[in-house]
């Protein structure tokens, strides 16, 4: 058993007060800060359990997912261990450099000795209640540097849970003696299994909704009568927080990150007061770096924009998912050519891609996942899109290309929509109707009972029919189901002609498989409402309002920021995120951006090195870790200015799919302090120019 010390602090803890303190400074000294509750702490001795590896050590992180003693009733510690194991991802192997060139066990480019266990204190807390709740974790290593205190704020990546950044930004910060502040950004993975009444508590354990006594992290918000009616009409469905909280959690990502920093400062002021800087740990005395990946990268940027009190010193973001404010004349050019569309929000570019991807996939028969493609259904998708919308395939182009040319037109439409032409190889593996469906519900603040666009979630049998979850599947969700319906839950087409069925098995009115064109058209119509259309107008307006609450302006109030992004990213295309954001930031800073942007060739949204990806792509995670090092040097006064914005030209591993040689430093040249003129990214007269 690990040697731990547990303490708890009531919500009624009296905050320190002093007339001389500003509201922000007071929050940095009070414990818990205003609005927090369920604050607990555990000290890990670094032997039986620890902050970085949850007692597994690096060897354990490389092994299989640790199983709980009782799968139906995993303990909080077992759920935490599974979540930390998943955050490191080291079971992926070292061929792509993970564990050798970068990763939880690598610091400054070199693998660390020992097994990686780090002793320290971990605090957990919650702000808000139920569907409005946000979870927080603060880790303070015993090696915390009191003389030069630092906090790394690392929000959850993607739709991941609160521990999802432990193995990346967390490891990086802990290795430097920093406190690390995590938040799930209100996204989950909490759920409500309407049939059984099982929900998730704040600590990740599960139980009957009626017995959790105010500790539920989310429930569907239905009365008992509504639950009974819903379960009769749609048995075995599950609601989950990201899609069904009715709170639009993405709108408060920046606020939630700032809360995590204030929580970190408060616990430091209570438990590390001896040897603290004069005046305690405050924004003035503590270096604070906000950093994240994907959705977490967008949250880090949001925190930088929302912070007007000087709480955050710098931002580092990898492949940030951001919904941008209207660009107002900001343009993007690549290789001298204008990018036709830039700065679309996720719900728009993703719903458009979802319609086109099954058809466009026919142009890439060697792409990962092609063997599972229903080719006849994909061809029917091609035909169905002709004349549907000018952004898709026009009738004129279809007549010229003929039936066999429709897949090429679909691929061309994706390029016109701002996707990189070379991303065609990845389109099929990124086909995921769950993403636009769930974001549409989130922005529109829809209930599970609304079944927006005829979508729901459930566990299914081999025929695709919804069936009850097993208890062990629900019990494991905290560690195994980041931000979506508990595994193995899947998207359901509620309006299928033969009755509700798994979306992947959905059929059209003619009885043939069609990848649920009906549902995808509905989401697309909400994202791109037709002028004068009345059907779905109310939902489209609600979606637009929720979307507008999440937009980023580019104004970081002078904070330095370093963004890295893979050029081939098909999940968050560079033309809709980092490239136009650089232009928005330059305009906000009157022509002199505070953002340095690094675009990495042959990198995409995932570091997965599965066959077909291993020989073509390099890991962006390598550059994310390097970007943290670069910013750290600057914050510590040893690195001068950030490097100029640039394209880093990498070298793929090559070889046969599944048999690529090991990644070496020669494949991944460093971010250049003085890049060649031909590699520099510049903002000239409101135009982002990318070589």
């Amino acid at each position: 058993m690990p040697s731990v010390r547990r303490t708890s602090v009531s919500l009624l803890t009296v905050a320190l007060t002093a007339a001389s303190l500003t509201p922000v400074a007071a929050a940095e000294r009070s414990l818990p800060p205003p609005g927090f509750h369920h604050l607990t702490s555990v000290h890990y001795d670094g032997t039986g359990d620890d902050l970085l590896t949850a007692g597994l050590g690096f060897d354990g992180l490389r092994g299989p997912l640790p199983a709980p003693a009782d799968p139906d009733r995993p303990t909080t510690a077992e759920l935490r261990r599974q979540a930390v194991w998943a955050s490191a991802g080291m079971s992926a192997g070292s061929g792509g450099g993970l564990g050798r060139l970068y990763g939880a066990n690598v610091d400054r480019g070199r693998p660390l000795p020992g097994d990686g266990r780090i002793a320290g204190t971990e605090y957990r807390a919650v702000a808000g209640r139920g569907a409005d709740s946000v979870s927080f974790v603060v880790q303070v290593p015993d090696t915390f540097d009191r003389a030069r205190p630092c906090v790394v704020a690392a929000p959850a990546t993607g739709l991941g849970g609160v521990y999802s950044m432990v193995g990346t930004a967390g490891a990086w910060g802990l290795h430097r003696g920093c406190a690390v502040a995590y938040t799930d950004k209100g996204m989950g993975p909490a759920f409500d299994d309407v049939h059984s009444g099982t929900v998730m508590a704040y600590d990740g354990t599960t139980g009957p909704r009626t017995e959790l006594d105010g500790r539920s992290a989310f429930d569907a918000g239905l009365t008992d009568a509504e639950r009974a009616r819903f379960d009769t009409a749609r048995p075995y469905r599950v609601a989950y927080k990201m899609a069904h909280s009715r709170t639009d959690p993405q709108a408060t990502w920046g606020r939630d990150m700032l809360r995590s920093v204030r929580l970190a400062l408060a616990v430091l002021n209570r438990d590390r007061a001896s040897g603290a800087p004069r005046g305690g740990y405050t924004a003035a005395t503590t270096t604070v770096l906000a950093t994240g990946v994907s959705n977490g990268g967008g949250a880090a940027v949001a925190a930088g924009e929302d912070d007007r009190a000087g709480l955050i010193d710098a931002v580092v973001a990898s492949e940030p998912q951001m919904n941008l404010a209207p660009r107002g004349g900001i343009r993007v050019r690549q290789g001298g050519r204008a990018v036709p569309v830039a700065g679309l929000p996720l719900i728009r570019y993703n719903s458009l891609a979802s319609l086109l991807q099954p058809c466009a996939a026919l142009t890439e028969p060697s792409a990962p996942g092609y063997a599972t493609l229903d080719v006849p259904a994909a061809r029917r998708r091609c035909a169905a899109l002709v004349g549907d919308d000018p952004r898709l395939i026009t009738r004129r182009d279809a007549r010229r290309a003929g039936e066999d040319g429709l897949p090429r037109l679909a691929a061309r439409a994706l390029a016109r929509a701002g996707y990189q032409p070379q991303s065609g190889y990845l389109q099929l593996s990124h086909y995921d109707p769950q993403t636009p469906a769930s974001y549409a519900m989130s922005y529109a603040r829809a209930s599970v009972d609304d079944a927006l666009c005829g979508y729901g979630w459930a566990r299914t049998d081999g025929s695709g029919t919804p069936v009850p979850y097993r208890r062990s599947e629900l019990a494991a969700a905290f560690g195994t189901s980041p931000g979506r319906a508990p595994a193995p839950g899947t998207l359901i087409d509620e309006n299928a002609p033969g009755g509700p069925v798994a979306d992947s098995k959905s059929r059209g009115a003619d009885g043939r498989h069609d990848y649920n064109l009906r549902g995808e058209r509905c989401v697309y119509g909400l994202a791109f409402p037709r002028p004068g259309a009345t059907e779905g107008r109310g939902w489209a307006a609600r979606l637009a309002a929720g979307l507008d609450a999440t937009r980023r302006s580019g104004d970081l109030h002078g904070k330095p920021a370093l963004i890295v992004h893979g050029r081939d990213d098909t999940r968050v295309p560079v033309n809709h995120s980092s490239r136009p954001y650089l232009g928005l930031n330059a305009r906000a800073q009157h022509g002199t951006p505070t953002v340095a942007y690094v675009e990495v060739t042959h990198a995409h949204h995932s570091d997965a090195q599965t066959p077909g990806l291993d020989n073509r792509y390099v890991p962006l995670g390598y550059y994310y870790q390097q970007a943290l090092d670069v910013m750290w040097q600057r914050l510590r006064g040893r690195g001068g200015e950030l490097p100029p914005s640039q394209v880093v030209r990498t070298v793929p591993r090559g070889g046969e799919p599944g048999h690529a040689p090991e990644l070496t430093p020669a494949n991944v040249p460093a971010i250049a302090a003085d890049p060649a003129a031909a590699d520099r990214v510049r903002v000239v007269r409101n135009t982002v120019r990318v070589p």
Side-chain angles (χ1 to χ4, degrees):
M1 292 288 292
S3 171
V4 300
R5 182 178 71 251
R6 296 178 182 271
T7 61
S8 63
V9 182
S10 165
L11 177 62
L12 299 178
T13 300
V14 179
L16 296 176
T17 57
S20 61
L21 294 180
T22 66
V24 170
E28 291 166 3
R29 291 170 168 80
S30 63
L31 193 68
F36 285 88
H37 56 93
H38 283 84
L39 176 63
T40 63
S41 67
V42 179
H43 182 265
Y44 296 106
D45 61 11
T47 303
D49 208 339
D50 75 296
L51 300 179
L52 178 55
T53 76
L56 295 169
F58 288 144
D59 286 343
L61 294 178
R62 292 186 179 94
L65 177 71
D70 181 352
D72 287 345
R73 297 175 181 81
T75 66
T76 302
E78 289 171 331
L79 292 168
R80 173 184 179 270
R81 185 168 296 119
Q82 289 187 332
V84 170
W85 176 90
S87 79
M90 289 175 64
S91 61
S94 64
L98 185 63
R100 292 188 299 110
L101 303 181
Y102 75 104
N105 66 323
V106 176
D107 188 34
R108 298 170 180 86
R110 296 181 179 180
L112 292 163
D115 71 356
R117 298 174 200 238
I118 295 179
T121 303
E122 182 171 291
Y123 304 82
R124 295 181 69 163
V126 180
R129 300 278 178 175
D132 291 306
S133 65
V134 182
S135 291
F136 300 86
V137 167
V138 175
Q139 294 181 327
V140 184
D142 286 351
T143 56
F144 178 72
D145 188 346
R146 303 180 194 219
R148 303 188 70 185
C150 49
V151 173
V152 175
T157 181
L159 307 181
V162 71
Y163 286 102
S164 63
M165 288 294 286
V166 171
T168 49
W172 183 89
L174 293 172
H175 291 327
R176 281 155 186 77
C178 296
V180 184
Y182 309 96
T183 174
D184 71 350
K185 316 186 306 291
M187 304 288 271
F191 66 88
D192 182 348
D193 180 41
V194 180
H195 176 71
S196 69
T198 303
V199 298
M200 182 181 290
Y202 296 131
D203 64 3
T205 57
T206 58
R209 177 180 59 89
T210 54
E211 296 178 11
L212 283 188
D213 191 27
R215 294 184 295 115
S216 169
F218 165 72
D219 72 52
L222 304 177
T223 66
D224 290 343
E226 289 169 337
R227 283 175 171 273
R229 185 168 58 249
F230 178 82
D231 190 49
T232 299
R234 303 189 187 104
Y236 315 129
R237 302 306 193 272
V238 64
Y240 68 96
K241 193 173 185 181
M242 180 267 168
H244 302 122
S245 70
R246 293 188 272 187
T247 65
D248 191 14
Q250 190 171 344
T252 56
W253 281 356
R255 178 206 67 181
D256 294 339
M257 275 202 68
L258 296 176
R259 281 174 164 181
S260 74
V261 174
R262 292 187 177 116
L263 177 63
L265 295 174
V267 300
L268 289 172
N269 278 310
R270 185 189 74 168
D271 294 347
R272 298 293 192 283
S274 176
R278 184 175 182 181
Y281 303 103
T282 67
T285 63
T286 308
T287 299
V288 178
L289 173 61
T291 183
V293 175
S294 190
N295 276 354
V301 171
E305 291 192 357
D306 289 353
D307 173 31
R308 293 172 174 82
L311 193 61
I312 292 173
D313 294 293
V315 174
V316 174
S318 177
E319 55 200 7
Q321 186 270 301
M322 301 179 284
N323 297 323
L324 304 183
R327 290 175 295 128
I330 300 295
R331 298 174 294 275
V332 178
R333 298 180 70 87
Q334 179 181 336
R337 294 185 177 183
V339 170
V341 178
L344 289 179
L346 178 146
I347 188 63
R348 290 182 180 158
Y349 68 70
N350 201 257
S351 62
L352 183 149
S354 192
L355 280 172
L356 291 164
Q357 283 165 330
C359 176
L362 294 168
T363 65
E364 294 281 356
S366 65
Y370 192 88
T372 65
L373 181 69
D374 183 337
V375 173
R379 293 194 180 281
R380 290 194 293 275
R381 172 64 65 92
C382 292
L385 297 181
V386 175
D388 212 40
D389 185 285
R391 300 180 189 89
L392 305 176
I393 302 175
T394 66
R395 296 187 188 280
R396 179 180 179 183
D397 288 342
R399 284 195 298 269
R400 290 178 176 176
E403 184 178 352
D404 290 342
L406 294 182
R408 291 193 299 276
L409 294 180
R412 190 183 304 169
L414 285 166
R416 286 200 311 270
Y419 285 84
Q420 292 292 299
Q422 67 270 24
S423 71
Y425 183 78
L426 293 166
Q427 291 292 350
L428 180 58
S429 61
H430 284 69
Y431 176 58
D432 178 23
Q434 286 197 78
T435 297
S438 57
Y439 274 94
M441 294 177 192
S442 182
Y443 294 138
R445 295 177 169 86
S447 164
V448 66
D449 198 22
D450 293 317
L452 190 60
C453 288
Y455 283 121
W457 278 265
R459 184 181 187 273
T460 60
D461 61 16
S463 70
T465 302
V467 295
Y469 272 96
R470 296 187 177 97
R471 181 172 181 170
S472 60
E473 293 165 344
L474 297 177
F478 183 82
T480 62
S481 305
R484 287 189 172 178
T490 189
L491 188 65
I492 301 296
D493 176 9
E494 304 284 9
N495 296 331
V501 68
D503 189 73
S504 61
K505 297 179 180 294
S506 175
R507 298 181 180 273
D510 61 2
R512 295 188 294 179
H513 180 221
D514 73 347
Y515 286 105
N516 193 7
L517 176 61
R518 173 183 52 255
E520 291 182 35
R521 273 178 168 159
C522 174
V523 174
Y524 179 81
L526 298 181
F528 292 99
R530 296 176 186 267
T534 57
E535 185 177 0
R537 181 168 58 186
W539 283 116
R542 290 177 62 161
L543 185 152
L547 173 62
D548 285 344
T550 71
R551 293 187 183 270
R552 304 271 60 88
S553 68
D555 189 359
L556 289 167
H557 315 292
K559 298 179 187 69
L562 183 53
I563 295 176
V564 295
H565 210 139
R567 174 170 284 189
D568 295 354
D569 196 326
T570 310
R571 181 73 67 187
V572 180
V574 288
N575 285 324
H576 298 311
S577 176
S578 299
R579 286 177 174 181
Y581 188 81
L582 180 63
L584 288 174
N585 176 255
R587 184 171 64 189
Q589 297 299 136
H590 308 292
T592 305
T594 60
V595 171
Y597 171 52
V598 176
E599 185 168 298
V600 182
T601 65
H602 307 114
H604 65 110
H605 201 73
S606 167
D607 286 354
Q609 296 291 302
T610 53
L613 302 180
D614 58 339
N615 60 334
R616 286 175 173 254
Y617 301 104
V618 302
L620 189 66
Y622 175 82
Y623 287 96
Y624 174 49
Q625 199 159 330
Q626 189 179 146
L628 289 168
D629 289 339
V630 169
M631 183 62 81
W632 183 251
Q633 290 292 102
R634 185 186 188 279
L635 291 174
R636 287 310 198 202
R638 298 191 294 268
E641 295 301 313
L642 293 176
S645 294
Q646 61 191 272
V647 172
V648 175
R649 304 188 187 277
T650 64
V651 181
R653 294 159 64 188
E656 293 298 316
H659 301 283
E662 283 198 342
L663 188 82
T664 71
N667 298 107
V668 282
I671 298 170
D674 184 21
D679 294 333
R680 295 197 178 211
V681 177
R682 294 181 169 88
V683 182
V684 181
R685 293 190 294 276
N686 287 336
T687 298
V688 180
R689 298 180 179 272
V690 184

